[in-house]
Amino acid sequence: MKSKKHFFTVSILTIALTIFSCSKDDDTPTPTTQSTAIPSVYSKIYGATSITSDGTFITIKTSDQPNHKSAYWTNTNSLYEAFTPSATSPSFTGGAFIRAPNNITAQTITLKIPLNPKVATTHSATPMGVMGVALDGVPFFNQYAAGGVSLGGEVNGFDQAWGHPQASGMYHYHVEPYYLTTVKSGATKWGLLGFLLDGFPVYGPKEENNTDPSNLDVYHGHTHATVDFPSGMYHYHISNTAPYINGNGFYGTPGTVTQ
């Protein structure tokens, strides 16, 4: 009997130690991980070569190859089309088109924008060059020409989509992307057009009810609900006069761009 009692005591002790060990393991905090799910709104950027998320930033890569016709494609490209402004295909200025010598050339551009953009404590100026991306993968540039001067006569070189390439062949929009607002969207002049580097969306020159935007701030934006952001979101509105896309800098804190 003594042997059996000893065996029973040892067994109980073994079970207790095992339970304690398991309980201790269960109480160990599990490391938290950020979601890398990509909100569906970013799927509208159909011109991106890839879109990923690390839970803090959305990374958008583009080769900057618009899917619309342009006088700046080489004439061997199926999308090449000479541009003679007309009532159905107007120039940005309403005048003649003056073609620049550059052609559209494939690029390698990576934009890293905040997944959850917030208003900046200190608003930074928009950079020369890429400051955002349109739905067709084409970069947005600010309202200045090289050297930070007014666009001036440069606007005469905007093609039938109201964009043009710079010296390196990087095609871009300084103003309303006419193809997106009039052809792609069915001439509604409203709707999502893309995002700036601070993560805030860019919308067309009209509201969803076809009225002109009101109460725009100095950054050319305001906050309200949209089809894409039913809970409300700050967003920029493009206009046909300077500063065209946004005003006195970024409303939020910009991410980064590499090329």
Side-chain angles (χ1 to χ4, degrees), residues 34-111:
Q34 292 177 299
S35 172
T36 56
I38 302 171
S40 61
V41 67
Y42 294 102
S43 67
K44 293 191 173 186
I45 309 175
Y46 66 87
T49 55
S50 73
I51 301 175
T52 57
S53 172
D54 63 4
T56 302
F57 291 94
I58 292 288
T59 298
I60 303 164
K61 296 184 178 182
T62 175
S63 59
D64 188 19
Q65 297 288 276
N67 67 328
H68 57 67
K69 293 181 179 180
S70 172
Y72 287 110
W73 289 110
T74 59
N75 57 17
T76 57
N77 191 298
S78 61
L79 290 174
Y80 169 78
E81 182 180 75
F83 181 36
T84 301
S86 66
T88 56
S89 182
S91 66
F92 177 70
T93 63
F97 168 65
I98 303 174
R99 191 191 191 283
N102 312 316
N103 291 323
I104 299 173
T105 304
Q107 307 289 316
T108 301
I109 304 170
T110 301
L111 302 95

Side-chain angles (χ1 to χ4, degrees), residues 66 68 134 136 138-141 161-163 171-175 177 180 245:
H68 57 67
D136 57 0
V138 171
F140 285 126
F141 278 28
W162 294 3
Y171 187 79
H172 58 279
Y173 304 122
H174 290 277
V175 300
L180 294 180
I245 298 175

Side-chain angles (χ1 to χ4, degrees), residues 211-236:
T211 61
D212 293 327
S214 60
N215 302 317
L216 297 180
D217 61 20
V218 295
Y219 305 100
H220 230 232
H222 59 186
T223 302
H224 64 70
T226 68
V227 170
D228 306 293
F229 300 96
S231 297
M233 172 66 81
Y234 181 89
H235 55 278
Y236 302 100

Side-chain angles (χ1 to χ4, degrees), residues 136-191:
D136 57 0
V138 171
F140 285 126
F141 278 28
N142 67 19
Q143 68 267 37
Y144 301 112
V149 300
S150 170
L151 288 174
E154 191 169 302
V155 297
N156 296 315
F158 293 167
D159 66 9
Q160 49 268 66
W162 294 3
H164 69 165
Q166 42 136 259
S168 70
M170 183 187 291
Y171 187 79
H172 58 279
Y173 304 122
H174 290 277
V175 300
E176 175 188 337
Y178 189 75
Y179 173 77
L180 294 180
T181 60
T182 306
V183 179
K184 188 71 175 175
S185 68
T188 59
K189 288 286 187 177
W190 62 264

